[in-house]
Amino acid sequence: MNGFAEQHDRAKEVLDPVAYDYFAGGAGDERALADNENSFARLALLPRVLRGGANRDLAVRLPGAPDALPIMVAPTAFHRLAHPEGELATARAAAAAGTVLISSMASTVAIDEVVAAAHQVRAEAPVWFQLYLQPDQQVTAALVERAERAGCSALVVTVDSPVFGRHERDRRNGFHDLPDGYAAENMRGLPGGPAEDTRDIEMSPEISWRHVESLRAMTRLPVLLKGILHPDDAHLAVGLGVDGIIVSNHGGRQLDATPAPIEVLPHITNAVGGAIPLLLDGGVRRGTDVAVALALGATAVGVGRPVVWGLAADGEKGVRDVLERLRDEFDQALALCGGRRCGDLTRDLVVRRGFGG
Ligand code: FNR
């Protein structure tokens, strides 16, 4: 277990076992899921000393978030299965903690209400909208418009899911649909669907770089691609002019045979050469994990499951506790590495355990 064992154990205690499995699980044999955390444990930091690290400044520049913390909330679906207030609690907590919330298209609260909840806490709190491009372009366009009208400041297109991953736990539990009383609220009243009802979220095996180009023509919001692992894809994304990449294997929920994102990050950093911001998610559980990711070229990281555990354990306060602890741990790690700003974390500070340098 990891830095958030307490929240995890409490969440497991209070959650319906089927919901717990949905949140905790990964694809196949859950090798990628396990490796995401284990890979961080195989890396170590080689601190610099006597560099005068007072007055630290953690702010980073991101598209649609010019003054952000380098720790963000990764998009995860169905928060009302974790807590009755669902995404409203998550949004308030992220705003209070000063982190960017990437709100899942599969949220159980509509995006306009999610953004309003965040903005009630902090008027300029950035909320990004995560999108699966839908087979029907009109539906995609309606979702983009909904996110723009709500006040989202960037779009995150998840590109690692041409089909659903194989979640063995959900199959065993017979979990295929949301229970009665819950819905993917962003899918309500969309073109071609029932007026008052919700459409199903569809995965689109046919989506290609051409669809990303069409999306960019649809919106003035920055567009980031989430779920890139191959350096050649990172290169293509830069060529297409996207505003950022999230290096991710979907928390081990899609292709189980993938390496951990932190293992491929240095290759992607090389491929991109600083042209656009790189973000990373998967297995980030400690402030030192954040420091390692930034040293290897990420501008910021996302956290998925720990936020859900905090939400299940203690609602808004639980999420805030998770995010604030990560921020404080990261600040401390930065100081202990001899850094004052995120940019002071450089690749030479990361070594593999067992080799020492
Ligand atoms: C996810 N993830 C995800 N990603 C996405 O783009 N859209 C989504 O709706 C979801 N939903 C979702 C549900 C649950 C329960 C989990 C655990 C994950 C993936 C998520 O954004 C992120 O990539 C991982 O969660 C990061 O890994 P960690 O922090 O959970 O290890």
Side-chain angles (χ1 to χ4, degrees):
M1 246 298 122
N2 56 64
F4 292 106
E6 220 174 278
Q7 283 86 346
H8 166 268
D9 293 352
R10 175 86 190 118
K12 191 169 181 184
E13 225 173 82
V14 299
L15 282 174
D16 173 272
V18 174
Y20 169 77
D21 270 348
Y22 167 72
F23 289 125
D29 291 324
E30 302 190 340
R31 288 181 186 159
L33 172 62
D35 204 39
N36 283 358
E37 285 182 20
N38 293 339
S39 295
F40 279 107
R42 290 195 291 270
L43 296 170
L45 287 160
L46 203 58
R48 299 298 306 267
V49 297
L50 299 174
R51 292 189 146 193
N55 306 319
R56 285 180 302 285
D57 174 6
L58 302 187
V60 293
R61 248 191 110 70
L62 292 170
D67 184 22
L69 271 181
I71 300 156
M72 340 184 32
V73 177
T76 51
F78 305 157
H79 285 193
R80 285 188 58 222
L81 291 187
H83 188 273
E85 287 175 26
E87 287 83 0
L88 295 176
T90 314
R92 289 189 206 110
T99 62
V100 177
L101 166 66
I102 310 179
S103 196
S104 168
M105 170 170 155
S107 57
T108 42
V109 174
I111 188 64
D112 49 317
E113 292 177 45
V114 173
V115 178
H119 287 182
Q120 243 168 27
V121 174
R122 198 161 55 88
E124 71 283 10
V127 179
W128 296 358
F129 185 69
Q130 177 268 325
L131 181 69
Y132 293 109
L133 296 176
Q134 294 300 283
D136 181 344
Q137 276 238 18
Q138 272 191 307
V139 173
T140 302
L143 286 162
V144 169
E145 201 196 315
R146 198 162 274 190
E148 286 176 341
R149 243 186 303 120
C152 292
S153 58
L155 296 175
V156 171
V157 182
T158 301
V159 294
D160 59 12
S161 308
V163 296
F164 286 105
R166 188 182 173 87
H167 297 176
E168 304 278 352
R169 297 196 208 200
D170 294 347
R171 285 173 175 248
R172 264 200 313 275
N173 294 333
F175 179 72
H176 304 298
D177 288 312
L178 278 169
D180 286 348
Y182 302 87
E185 292 295 339
N186 294 316
M187 303 305 286
R188 203 175 284 284
L190 289 168
E196 268 313 301
D197 234 334
T198 54
R199 283 179 76 110
D200 284 342
I201 292 175
E202 291 182 63
M203 296 299 151
S204 327
E206 74 281 13
I207 68 161
S208 69
W209 293 99
R210 190 171 52 76
H211 293 87
V212 176
E213 259 181 304
S214 313
L215 175 75
R216 279 180 47 82
M218 242 179 240
T219 181
R220 297 166 73 123
L221 291 179
V223 172
L224 295 91
L225 300 186
K226 171 174 183 282
I228 284 186
L229 291 171
H230 199 299
D232 291 353
D233 281 337
H235 201 71
L236 286 170
V238 172
L240 214 66
V242 303
D243 301 280
I245 289 172
I246 307 183
V247 181
S248 169
N249 63 8
H250 214 112
R253 293 164 78 85
Q254 286 298 110
L255 182 65
D256 191 31
T258 51
I262 194 66
E263 298 274 357
V264 297
L265 179 63
H267 305 290
I268 303 223
T269 304
N270 286 345
V272 166
I276 52 172
L278 291 180
L279 285 72
L280 170 137
D281 71 30
V284 174
R285 303 292 180 262
R286 284 284 185 190
T288 46
D289 299 340
V290 182
V292 165
L294 266 54
L296 293 178
T299 302
V301 300
V303 270
R305 291 180 184 81
V307 167
V308 176
W309 305 146
L311 180 64
D314 205 5
E316 179 183 339
K317 180 177 179 306
V319 176
R320 219 177 50 227
D321 288 348
V322 164
L323 295 172
E324 289 180 350
R325 208 189 77 193
L326 269 177
R327 181 196 60 202
D328 292 349
E329 281 184 7
F330 170 64
D331 177 53
Q332 195 172 29
L334 180 64
L336 290 170
C337 285
R340 210 177 68 72
R341 294 176 319 107
C342 293
D344 295 337
L345 294 166
T346 45
R347 201 184 281 203
D348 54 296
L349 303 191
V350 179
V351 294
R352 282 205 176 268
R353 273 193 196 284
F355 288 91

